[in-house]
Amino acid sequence: MKPSVFSTVEGIFCNVRSHQNQIPQFPEGSPFDEFFREYFERERRNMPSQRPIVGLGSGFIIDDSGIVVTNNHVIEAADEIKIILNDSSEYTADLLGRDPKADLAVLKFNANGKKLKSVEWGNSDTARIGDPVIAIGNPLGIGNSVTSGIISAISRDIGFGPYVKFIQTDASINKGNSGGPLFNGQGKVIGINTAILSQTGGSIGLGFAIPSNSAKKIIYQLKEFGKTKRG
């Protein structure tokens, strides 16, 4: 197996407005009114209106023009998206479109003349239980990592929504792997790593990927229209 060069969406920076406490309403002239008003106004002065939040995720290049696929939950609410390739080069990406219902997003970045390599899609409909797979991503933000396993189940419903039936794999997937590719034995992408089921928050061999055949149709629409058009 020889997968194509891949990229990881390693830094996502969001500015989220803090929720300011609301002043309780008391009858006019109440001694509590003045007390609580002074208290909350003092708290507001000490509370920053915005706080930066850093999100971590993965992704992969599907076109040498700089088109990247990832999960919607990786970039949702992001004000700035940074893409770091496996050679540590860093680029700012634009959001072309996203589909929260299928948890997919398409990004684009300018590589400034750098030659990019894209992955090749595989046919997820031919995947069978027991087939070997490899997951690539950025688990826990430590950098590009490769894990191997098999397909544990196909067409798995985990209550995520009506539009996706997942491929289940025992290849180790952790937080930060979201949006990364799941390769088959021929080095082709048959899934997009999306979710885990775990009581501890870590990998226990219950990972789930969006099948490539389901994702490709949505990704095409996101590239062309910026949104998914459903009947």
Side-chain angles (χ1 to χ4, degrees):
M1 170 179 171
K2 188 177 181 181
S4 302
V5 174
F6 58 94
S7 67
T8 60
V9 181
E10 198 162 307
I12 299 177
F13 306 92
C14 306
N15 286 327
V16 180
R17 295 185 180 276
S18 299
H19 295 289
Q20 295 183 341
N21 295 327
Q22 300 294 319
I23 299 176
Q25 297 299 312
F26 295 97
E28 186 177 355
S30 168
F32 295 104
D33 182 55
E34 183 177 355
F35 171 79
F36 279 102
R37 187 173 301 278
E38 291 179 356
Y39 172 79
F40 278 96
E41 286 178 354
R42 185 170 62 251
E43 288 296 307
R44 285 178 177 178
R45 286 194 296 269
N46 296 332
M47 183 184 299
S49 60
Q50 293 184 331
R51 55 189 176 93
I53 297 177
V54 179
L56 297 173
S58 305
F60 54 98
I61 300 172
I62 61 169
D63 189 280
D64 57 13
S65 64
I67 304 294
V68 173
V69 171
T70 187
N71 285 134
N72 174 69
H73 74 260
V74 170
I75 55 84
E76 192 171 19
D79 293 330
E80 184 179 17
I81 302 173
K82 293 286 186 181
I83 289 180
I84 302 176
L85 301 185
N86 59 334
D87 62 359
S88 299
S89 57
E90 185 174 320
Y91 304 91
T92 298
D94 296 317
L95 177 64
L96 293 185
R98 64 188 187 92
D99 183 358
K101 292 183 178 179
D103 199 9
L104 290 170
V106 177
L107 314 174
K108 184 173 184 179
F109 70 99
N110 183 358
N112 300 321
K114 180 177 181 177
K115 187 176 181 180
L116 301 173
K117 292 184 179 180
S118 58
V119 299
E120 184 178 350
W121 289 110
N123 183 0
S124 58
D125 289 344
T126 63
R128 294 293 180 265
I129 296 173
D131 286 352
V133 289
I134 286 181
I136 296 179
N138 178 32
L140 305 178
I142 64 172
N144 295 332
S145 298
V146 177
T147 57
S148 65
I150 62 170
I151 294 177
S152 305
I154 56 177
S155 194
R156 181 72 83 190
D157 185 355
I158 60 174
F160 187 81
Y163 300 107
V164 177
K165 301 297 183 183
F166 290 86
I167 296 173
Q168 181 182 330
T169 177
D170 67 349
S172 294
I173 296 175
N174 290 281
K175 293 180 179 179
N177 275 108
S178 293
L182 185 72
F183 288 100
N184 64 11
Q186 290 72 50
K188 297 180 180 180
V189 177
I190 60 167
I192 302 172
N193 303 320
T194 299
I196 60 174
L197 288 181
S198 172
Q199 294 178 331
T200 63
S203 175
I204 58 172
L206 288 173
F208 300 90
I210 300 171
S212 59
N213 286 11
S214 299
K216 284 189 292 185
K217 302 172 186 176
I218 297 171
I219 290 167
Y220 172 78
Q221 294 190 46
L222 294 179
K223 285 171 55 182
E224 295 296 316
F225 313 113
K227 61 181 180 179
T228 305
K229 296 184 177 182
R230 294 187 172 91

